[in-house]
């Protein structure tokens, strides 16, 4: 009886393990392959018509049936990069304050407030940015930046143009506000997992609080910080509604932070229902394929860099 029961338990365990493996492969491998297959199939007409020149062509003219995705791709990458440039130090600072500096009674309050920011719908961010932040940027912040930094030799060109608030800078600020809570939550949880004995040993050796944070806590949790940045990058790449309110939807490569622009997701949202020809629709699928490939590539590069860092620190 015990043998039969043991065999039945082993069979159940193996069956459960097989089902979990199939689910993992389905979500991690099969589903992306199916998405990639559909995108390639639908974009085949545009791929055959424009080829790789689609990546460098800045013309987007549905009337003349000339399509190039360079402006959308560059706009997507620039807004994502700038939003990360703003959000990463802020998220790390928030996590440090919550775990190392804030009083114990204040920590759950600040954590709840940060999580509340993550739960706000993107369209609310977009409307707030358009109605509140954009006028402030156009009337106060951007003129100040032009006046104070516009005369510098290299940095000054970044602030050329007319301050309107509907531009790359404002969009990047809103995106940074949207992705910062995700990063801060991940980094905060990682900081809390640092073994107390490591910090106590550093303090015992005479290290200051900032030395412990910089030389003990942050190196120990570097993988989590990179993981939070990867999560935030995916959110910024795929954001649509907030960017649609603030980017200006102008198919051009922005030459300064005050230029309007567009992204792949905004172009898809605004033009998908207007695609009245096969080539037009296929070009939009081509943009979707590029966004998919950019996301996968950035994830692979991030994982590679993370693996190299962990190899050096192990």
């Amino acid at each position: 009886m015990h043998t039969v029961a043991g065999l039945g338990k082993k069979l159940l365990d193996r069956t459960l393990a097989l089902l979990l493996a199939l689910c993992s492969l389905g979500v991690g491998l099969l589903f992306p392959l199916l998405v990639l297959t559909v995108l390639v199939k639908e974009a085949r007409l545009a791929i055959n018509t424009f080829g790789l020149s689609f990546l460098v062509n800045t013309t987007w003219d549905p009337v003349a049936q000339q399509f190039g995705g360079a402006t959308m791709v560059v706009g997507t990458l620039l807004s994502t990069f700038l939003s990360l440039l703003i959000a990463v130090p802020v998220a790390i600072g928030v996590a440090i304050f919550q775990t190392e500096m804030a009083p114990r009674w204040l920590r759950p309050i600040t954590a709840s407030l940060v999580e509340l920011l993550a739960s706000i719908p993107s369209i609310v961010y977009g409307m707030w940015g358009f109605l509140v932040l954009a006028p402030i940027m156009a009337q106060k912040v951007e003129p100040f930046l032009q006046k104070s930094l516009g005369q510098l030799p290299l940095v000054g060109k970044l602030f050329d143009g007319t301050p309107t608030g509907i531009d790359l800078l404002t969009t990047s600020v809103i995106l940074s506000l949207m992705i910062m809570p995700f990063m801060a939550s991940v980094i905060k949880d990682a900081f809390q997992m640092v073994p107390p004995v490591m910090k106590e040993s550093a303090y015992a050796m005479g290290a200051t609080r900032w030395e412990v944070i910089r030389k003990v806590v942050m190196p120990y949790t570097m993988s989590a910080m990179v993981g939070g940045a990867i999560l935030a990058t995916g959110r910024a790449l795929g954001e649509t509604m907030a960017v649609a309110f603030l980017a200006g939807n102008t198919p051009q490569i922005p030459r300064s932070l005050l230029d309007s622009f567009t992204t792949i997701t905004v172009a898809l949202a605004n033009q998908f229902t207007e695609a009245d020809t096969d080539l037009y629709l296929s070009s939009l699928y081509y943009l979707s394929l590029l966004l998919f490939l950019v996301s996968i590539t950035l994830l692979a590069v991030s994982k590679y860099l993370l693996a190299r860092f962990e190899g050096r620190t192990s």
Side-chain angles (χ1 to χ4, degrees), residues 60-144:
W60 188 267
D61 189 353
V63 177
Q65 294 291 284
Q66 293 294 323
F67 301 100
T71 56
M72 291 80 167
V73 173
V74 172
T76 301
L77 295 178
L78 280 178
S79 59
T80 300
F81 173 75
L82 290 175
S83 63
L84 286 173
L85 202 62
I86 300 172
V88 168
V90 175
I92 294 175
V94 169
I96 290 175
F97 176 78
Q98 290 181 344
T99 57
E100 302 294 335
M101 303 181 66
R104 291 189 178 275
W105 62 268
L106 187 59
R107 293 179 183 180
I109 299 176
T110 57
S112 299
L113 292 176
V114 171
E115 293 172 0
L116 180 63
L117 289 176
S119 65
I120 297 176
S122 60
I123 192 171
V124 175
Y125 276 107
M127 293 178 64
W128 180 83
F130 182 77
L131 297 174
V132 178
L133 182 61
I136 295 175
M137 296 291 289
Q139 299 169 14
K140 303 292 184 181
V141 178
E142 291 175 353
F144 171 76

